[in-house]
Amino acid sequence: MGAKPMTITGLSGTGDIMLTCFVNLSRNRTVGVRLGSGEKLDDILRSMNQVAEGVSTAGAVIALGQKYKVQMPVLTAVARIIDNELTPKKAVLELMSLPQVEEV
């Protein structure tokens, strides 16, 4: 797609990923934790005064993955949870049941 490899491996790319995964200040992480605890997405979003951009961009990421033939099972599960097609518990079970494959 034309991205520079240093973008994701640099401080801003890696830092953003680490923040989202590990820090309670991350809006996207907050949504994920609350979804995982059983709250409804609409209730979560109504209670927030900031935007969790991952909610509205998850579908676009999946579409790009499909276009470029990139398998993204975790992100696909997240998008399905957001679209209310899958529960977080079922997502974990499905992901843990995937065959192990070598990653690049």
Side-chain angles (χ1 to χ4, degrees):
M1 293 177 41
K4 296 177 183 175
M6 285 301 296
T7 301
I8 192 68
T9 60
L11 182 58
S12 61
T14 303
D16 187 54
I17 291 169
M18 291 177 70
L19 175 73
T20 298
C21 293
F22 303 117
V23 179
N24 289 336
L25 296 174
S26 166
R27 299 176 303 253
N28 290 317
R29 182 179 188 280
T30 297
V31 170
V33 168
R34 290 175 67 181
L35 281 170
S37 70
E39 289 185 62
K40 299 290 183 200
L41 181 61
D42 289 340
D43 295 337
I44 297 168
L45 297 178
R46 269 196 297 276
S47 74
M48 296 178 71
N49 59 6
Q50 294 181 315
V51 174
E53 66 280 353
V55 173
S56 59
T57 60
V61 171
I62 299 310
L64 281 172
Q66 291 170 342
K67 177 180 178 179
Y68 290 97
K69 298 178 178 28
V70 176
Q71 294 181 349
M72 299 181 291
V74 174
L75 294 176
T76 300
V78 169
R80 290 177 62 205
I81 291 167
I82 289 170
D83 290 341
N84 207 27
E85 297 173 5
L86 188 65
T87 66
K89 183 176 183 173
K90 179 76 172 159
V92 170
L93 293 173
E94 286 185 10
L95 289 168
M96 296 303 290
S97 297
L98 290 174
Q100 291 184 359
V101 296
E102 187 172 327
E103 296 183 22
V104 178

